[in-house]
Amino acid sequence: MNTSKLDLSNVTLLAYDEADLMLQKHDVSLQTTSLMNSIKAASCSSGCPLQVLMSGPIFDDPVRAAAQRCLHGCQVIKTYPSLSPWPVDMNQYKAEAKRQGDKHRLVQTILQSCDHTHQYVIFVRANETVRQLQKLVTKLGMPCSIARSGMRDNHWDNQMSQFCKGQTHVLITTDIMARNSHLMQKVEITINYNPPVGKPGKNGMFTTYVHRVCSSSCGHAVFNLWAGQAEKRTITAMEEHFSLEFDTLNEHEELCVAVQQVDL
């Protein structure tokens, strides 16, 4: 653009997918402003009106402020601040484990209580937890795939291929997969083995939670497991932020019933 080799005069639509993530990065925000100014200048000379579409699961105050700076001088036609980031029929639960190690028992209950034709994704915090849960799920006789940092490309491709083809029914992953919704189109149950971590602000736990929950377009149930006061505070903070209350599952039987509701 700086050398005028790119003709912008006929550009009528500028779309930003994952705009919430892009606009939180200062350098991308500056590039966006520069691109907008160049397109508007070219549009004025050609008479072509410019429309801008920005989409993303979370548009909190910092993201909206960044968007307004980029759209300075543009007329905002319509916004949708009240849309829920997840499907209206999605059930979200919370279940307490007395200790971190007891979460294995909760995961086992969930996996054994539902039709094994379903696909599940289990989000964890650390690579070591991925390995531990892989052993657990394998002992249950369920084929599983894993995704974590440090995997070789061919190993990653093989694991994702098996899951996408339905050859495995469980994906155990860190947040490295939270934004890869195209790979998890058949997932119906999401298990947050660990609540997301981070500050409530940009790129924080609220954004991470939305991406985990919305990683599947057909997801019906989310199970948030927690142990200890720190994870309890995170669960409470998410409920307050999203103005909702996760249904509490206190007993083994309640957990089984909630899982079986997915089949209805």
Side-chain angles (χ1 to χ4, degrees):
M1 289 188 297
N2 292 335
T3 58
S4 300
K5 293 183 178 180
L6 181 62
D7 183 9
L8 302 175
S9 59
N10 293 317
V11 175
T12 59
L13 176 64
L14 181 62
Y16 284 88
D17 190 19
E18 304 284 5
D20 59 311
L21 180 64
M22 296 175 64
L23 293 175
Q24 290 168 8
K25 298 180 179 180
H26 181 65
D27 56 338
V28 175
S29 183
L30 291 177
Q31 293 172 10
T32 300
T33 302
S34 176
L35 177 61
M36 287 284 298
N37 291 335
S38 298
I39 294 177
K40 284 190 290 185
S43 298
C44 289
S45 62
S46 66
C48 296
L50 175 66
Q51 291 183 308
V52 180
L53 172 65
M54 293 185 176
S55 63
I58 287 187
F59 269 74
D60 53 14
D61 291 339
V63 176
R64 281 196 293 269
Q68 289 295 334
R69 288 194 297 271
C70 295
L71 296 171
H72 180 69
C74 296
Q75 182 182 3
V76 178
I77 302 299
K78 196 167 187 179
T79 59
Y80 297 90
S82 61
L83 289 180
S84 172
W86 36 70
V88 294
D89 60 345
M90 177 178 286
N91 296 315
Q92 301 183 62
Y93 304 98
K94 59 183 176 183
E96 178 185 6
K98 300 301 181 183
R99 297 178 298 273
Q100 285 290 335
D102 291 340
K103 289 182 179 180
H104 279 42
R105 176 179 55 82
L106 298 178
V107 170
Q108 181 173 337
T109 298
I110 294 172
L111 296 182
Q112 291 182 326
S113 298
C114 202
D115 187 340
H116 286 184
T117 60
H118 293 312
Q119 282 195 312
Y120 313 77
V121 59
I122 306 176
F123 283 104
V124 304
R125 187 176 303 154
N127 287 348
E128 179 57 32
T129 311
V130 172
R131 288 186 280 266
Q132 293 173 359
L133 287 177
Q134 184 182 21
K135 293 179 181 179
L136 171 67
V137 175
T138 301
K139 287 182 179 180
L140 295 177
M142 298 182 66
C144 67
S145 297
I146 64 169
R148 56 174 175 79
S149 60
M151 293 175 63
R152 294 187 177 184
D153 291 344
N154 59 345
H155 187 201
W156 174 283
D157 292 342
N158 181 58
Q159 294 289 301
M160 293 303 100
S161 175
Q162 291 180 355
F163 188 72
C164 292
K165 292 178 180 178
Q167 297 171 350
T168 59
H169 296 287
V170 182
L171 173 63
I172 308 166
T173 178
T174 60
D175 285 324
I176 196 170
M177 285 293 294
R179 284 181 178 262
N180 287 278
S181 59
H182 63 289
L183 298 177
M184 295 186 282
Q185 292 300 307
K186 298 180 181 179
V187 170
E188 291 189 292
I189 293 180
T190 298
I191 303 173
N192 288 318
Y193 185 91
N194 302 113
V197 296
K199 296 180 179 180
K202 62 180 183 178
N203 286 332
M205 58 185 177
F206 301 144
T207 303
T208 301
Y209 182 78
V210 170
H211 282 292
R212 284 184 178 188
V213 170
C214 297
S215 60
S216 168
S217 62
C218 61
H220 293 305
V222 181
F223 294 88
N224 297 291
L225 312 184
W226 65 274
Q229 292 302 307
E231 291 190 345
K232 182 179 180 180
R233 287 192 294 269
T234 299
I235 295 292
T236 301
M238 291 193 299
E239 290 177 315
E240 293 176 351
H241 178 77
F242 294 115
S243 299
L244 58 84
E245 183 175 355
F246 302 139
D247 293 333
T248 302
L249 303 174
N250 292 316
E251 304 293 339
H252 174 84
E253 291 75 13
E254 293 180 354
L255 188 59
C256 293
V257 171
V259 175
Q260 291 165 3
Q261 291 296 317
V262 179
D263 291 325
L264 300 180

